[in-house]
């Protein structure tokens, strides 16, 4: 893994392009990494692959760089999962979003459910979080962060050809659907091994879990599959990591 610092830019990346870095990026390179004119950095923008670039000028907080050589081609869009999760308390949401980026989620859709505690989501903060995580994890594209919307609104325009696994923690609850006498949800790996594509999604509920009404509505959607993440109740952010890990192992780019 290269030690050359990696930055996401929105500008086009091509030989001869001269790109002015954002102030915060310029400050970081100059003040923290102490890089100067002639130093190399790596740039990616989610469209043109990754380029080895050179610092052309670095003066008074302004840094100009130019791509010198394409070091990684931009792959075609590969199948990857969408994460739907109920936002949690600040640091837990940050953790969930950062791990979803490292685990290759294509899209992150915060959803509001009856028991979601944190209704307002700071998308600008999440955008910079996923950008840093994508730089660190060596992704060539950023996951899309959608604005938080109610769960069933998000499912209204869900592509029904893409399976959505609903992580159902109430497997042992005698009063809940898919729990008790209905039989607990099947293990996630077993359920998704029948899927044909890694395009699809995982749905993780809030700390308080899903209501009986929400699980009934979910049960009526033919693209939704209830799954169990084992016999213990996981924190939502733990469930995000586990569900995406199982997804990538069974269907995605960990194979
Ligand atoms: N209702 C739980 C808390 C929910 S855990 C309680 O009684 O404490 C938060 C979310 O993580 C759940 O909505 C579910 O989506 C997921 N989750 C946690 N443990 C799980 C498990 N063992 N199986 C499936 N999903 C789980």
């Amino acid at each position: 893994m290269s030690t050359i610092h990696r930055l996401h830019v929105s500008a086009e990346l091509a030989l001869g392009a001269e790109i002015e870095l954002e102030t915060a990026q310029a400050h970081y390179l100059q003040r923290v990494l102490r890089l100067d004119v002639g130093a190399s950095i790596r740039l990616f923008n989610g469209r043109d692959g990754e380029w080895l670039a050179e610092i052309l000028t670095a003066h008074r907080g302004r840094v100009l760089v130019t791509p010198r050589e394409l070091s990684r081609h931009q792959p075609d869009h590969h199948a990857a999962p969408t994460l739907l999760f109920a936002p949690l308390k600040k640091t837990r949401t940050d953790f969930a979003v950062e791990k979803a980026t490292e685990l290759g989620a294509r899209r992150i859709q915060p959803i509001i459910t009856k028991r979601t505690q944190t209704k307002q989501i700071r998308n600008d903060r999440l955008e910079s979080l996923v950008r840093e995580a994508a730089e660190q994890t060596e992704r060539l594209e950023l996951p899309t962060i959608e604005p938080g919307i109610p769960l069933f609104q998000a499912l209204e325009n869900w592509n029904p050809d893409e399976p959505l696994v609903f992580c159902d923690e109430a497997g042992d609850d005698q009063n809940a659907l898919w729990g008790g006498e209905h039989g607990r949800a099947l293990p996630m790996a077993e359920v998704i091994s029948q899927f044909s594509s890694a395009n699809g999604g995982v749905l993780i509920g809030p700390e308080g879990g899903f209501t009986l009404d929400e699980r009934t509505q979910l049960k009526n959607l033919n693209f939704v599959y209830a799954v169990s993440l084992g016999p213990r109740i996981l924190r939502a952010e733990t469930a995000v990591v586990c569900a995406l890990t199982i997804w990538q192992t069974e269907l995605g780019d960990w194979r």
Side-chain angles (χ1 to χ4, degrees), residues 167-169 204-210 227-230 232-234 236 239:
C167 295
D168 175 21
E169 83 283 1
I204 307 286
E207 286 94 333
F210 291 100
V227 298
S228 166
L229 294 175
R232 286 169 294 281
I233 297 289
L234 309 176

Side-chain angles (χ1 to χ4, degrees), residues 8 46 74-85 96-110 123 126-127 130-131 134 137 139-147 157-165 195-202 240 243-245 247-248 251-254:
H8 176 270
Q74 189 72 34
D76 298 336
H77 267 287
H78 62 289
T82 291
L83 168 67
L84 292 93
F85 82 111
V97 166
E98 183 180 70
K99 299 314 145 194
T101 304
E102 293 169 52
L103 291 168
R106 173 172 48 138
R107 201 163 68 90
I108 300 173
Q109 170 65 71
N123 268 58
L126 295 184
E127 296 280 359
V130 294
R131 196 183 200 191
T137 203
R139 278 180 69 145
L140 281 171
E141 80 298 317
L142 302 182
T144 320
I145 293 265
E146 307 286 0
N157 37 39
W158 182 269
N159 174 354
D161 298 335
E162 297 189 358
L164 176 65
V165 292
F195 296 166
S196 58
S197 153
N199 279 327
V202 297
V240 165
L244 288 173
T245 297
W247 186 281
Q248 295 293 36
L251 291 173
D253 60 10
W254 280 22

Side-chain angles (χ1 to χ4, degrees), residues 7 18-23 25-30 35-37 41 54-65:
L7 285 179
E18 289 198 1
I19 300 160
E20 180 164 356
L21 296 184
E22 290 171 16
T23 317
Q25 292 177 323
H27 179 270
Y28 185 73
L29 288 193
Q30 281 191 292
L35 296 181
D36 209 336
V37 174
I41 57 168
E54 181 186 341
I55 296 180
L56 282 181
T57 65
H59 183 61
R60 289 179 178 277
R62 292 186 64 194
V63 173
L64 265 185
V65 297

